[in-house]
Amino acid sequence: MIEQLLRTPLTELTGVRHPVVQTGMGWVSGPRLVSGTANAGGLGILASATMTFAELEAAIVEVKGRTDQPFGVNLRADAADAPDRCRLLVEHGVKVASFALAPKPELIAMLKENGVVVMPSIGAAKHAVKVASWGADAVMVQGGEGGGHTGPVPTTLLLPSVLDALRGAGSEIPVVAAGGFFDGRGLAAALSYGAAGVGMGTRFLLTSDSAVPDAVKRLYLERGLTDTVVTAKVDGMPHRMLRTDLVAELEETGTLRRLAPTVRRTLEFKRDSGMGWLALARDGRSMRRAQGRTLGQMALAANTPTMLKAGLVEGDTSAGVLASGQVVGLIDDLPSCEDLIDRIVTGAAAELRRAASYVG
């Protein structure tokens, strides 16, 4: 395990040794991967959106049993029980709360008052300025190359626009860059732009510490740079995933033909999550208000957890979807989290020293 080679505002804020974040991927970022990342000196983020409240508490306790290093939990800000989950993080001394959508100012204040670092993910400069004004401690910026829900702007354009907007608003909060990162060159580039670290999803999914089935990992490793696709046919929002026969079928299938599978998967998600119909309805209303989704898009969204679980947990690629960043085409091995972070950080330090030799 290497010493700390890079000290950034992110490492200072969170107490981790290296400015590398393992993002909160549903069904992937469980206790084993999170603790593996934390023990290697990075910031592991536990994905809670696919967990019941009891499962989340059990997962936090398991991570704490595996590591004494800082880690985080990713939360849905629009979930009906978001305040309860935030209080759970405070109770267990979790260091970082990350959010896919911006939490309300009062929720940010409660977390900050109890020593929890708040780091929402954002996809536009104006959103970064807004959450900074609400008190967020840091933001994660994901460009269009990233896996899962993504936007149309690449990281190389989105990142500087966010940095400039924050500086223009007088904010110096750390920015974590995500989307397209997998090695030391990427970390060095992000730091050179002005970011305080990088977030990676697909690269951590493809490690030996990831609980994704080996057969599914091999499928990822066989893919090239053009083997991902962004589609809204899975849950109504742009979603980058591996190009598979199932995704191709979804792309070609009309709304009426998708109706029966949508209802079936909604029932499966209700059973797996332990949520009642009232809780599902409350979450649906929150999602509609927060994200502006139509009723049809919300029905599709209920598919997503079940379809991701089929592929990433059960290994059934014929019935599941596989979220992936474009970077999958550049990955060809399955290192441990420790080996991965060590080589990324040492590679970044070497690249920064090389670049510094050009000055003067």
Side-chain angles (χ1 to χ4, degrees):
M1 190 177 299
I2 63 170
E3 62 182 5
Q4 184 172 20
L5 299 178
L6 303 168
R7 193 178 302 275
T8 76
L10 177 68
T11 62
E12 296 294 294
L13 177 66
T14 62
V16 299
R17 197 162 62 253
H18 307 305
V20 177
V21 180
Q22 163 253 304
T23 59
M25 299 166 281
W27 304 117
V28 176
S29 301
R32 193 171 91 184
L33 182 59
V34 171
S35 58
T37 302
N39 285 327
L43 179 61
I45 304 289
L46 189 67
S48 77
T50 54
M51 298 178 183
T52 65
F53 186 89
E55 288 170 342
L56 172 57
E57 183 166 28
I60 291 173
V61 170
E62 183 176 346
V63 174
K64 291 171 65 177
R66 289 170 172 263
T67 184
D68 60 358
Q69 299 300 304
F71 67 96
V73 173
N74 181 256
L75 302 161
R76 271 186 51 207
D78 60 345
D81 64 349
D84 294 331
R85 292 184 179 233
C86 287
R87 284 188 284 270
L88 185 66
L89 268 59
V90 172
E91 178 185 339
H92 285 279
V94 173
K95 183 63 178 179
V96 177
S98 74
F99 292 88
L101 294 171
K104 294 179 180 178
E106 53 267 30
L107 207 55
I108 294 176
M110 186 274 284
L111 289 165
K112 287 169 63 72
E113 287 168 4
N114 288 279
V116 181
V117 172
V118 179
M119 184 173 67
S121 294
I122 55 93
K126 63 181 180 180
H127 298 149
V129 172
K130 180 172 70 174
V131 296
S133 72
W134 288 354
D137 297 295
V139 291
M140 180 176 289
V141 179
Q142 178 178 298
E145 303 95 322
H149 292 115
T150 192
V153 182
T155 307
T156 51
L157 300 179
L158 182 60
L159 178 58
S161 74
V162 169
L163 290 164
D164 289 346
L166 285 171
R167 288 170 182 162
S171 174
E172 297 291 336
I173 63 172
V175 174
V176 177
F181 296 101
F182 71 103
D183 66 358
R185 293 171 298 182
L187 174 55
L191 296 178
S192 297
Y193 267 104
V198 295
M200 302 186 301
T202 305
R203 177 64 276 195
F204 275 106
L205 183 155
L206 294 172
T207 60
S208 59
D209 292 308
S210 162
V212 171
D214 288 342
V216 176
K217 290 180 183 177
R218 287 195 295 272
L219 181 63
Y220 274 87
L221 292 176
E222 293 169 357
R223 298 301 164 130
L225 284 171
T226 60
D227 288 334
T228 65
V229 62
V230 176
T231 178
K233 293 295 185 70
V234 172
D235 65 358
M237 301 291 280
H239 201 135
R240 185 179 293 281
M241 56 194 62
L242 289 186
R243 194 187 302 272
T244 63
D245 291 342
L246 174 63
V247 171
E249 181 182 348
L250 289 172
E251 284 279 270
E252 296 169 2
T253 301
T255 303
L256 288 177
R257 288 187 60 190
R258 293 202 305 275
L259 181 59
T262 295
V263 172
R264 185 182 71 250
R265 293 181 188 117
T266 301
L267 292 172
E268 290 174 9
F269 174 63
K270 177 180 177 294
R271 182 195 64 217
D272 289 346
S273 67
M275 296 174 70
W277 287 114
L278 182 59
L280 281 173
R282 283 199 302 265
D283 272 8
R285 286 197 301 271
S286 296
M287 187 182 298
R288 191 176 186 184
R289 286 196 300 267
Q291 302 176 34
R293 296 196 190 193
T294 65
L295 290 174
Q297 286 175 325
M298 288 190 295
L300 288 173
N303 280 323
T304 310
T306 302
M307 296 183 78
L308 288 169
K309 182 182 180 183
L312 296 171
V313 178
E314 300 163 0
D316 185 357
T317 56
S318 65
V321 296
L322 301 170
S324 176
Q326 283 184 299
V327 74
V328 68
L330 297 174
I331 299 173
D332 59 8
D333 63 350
L334 299 170
S336 68
C337 288
E338 182 177 333
D339 288 342
L340 175 63
I341 291 176
D342 282 1
R343 77 189 191 197
I344 286 176
V345 173
T346 55
E351 290 296 331
L352 291 170
R353 283 192 290 267
R354 181 181 63 82
S357 71
Y358 298 156
V359 178

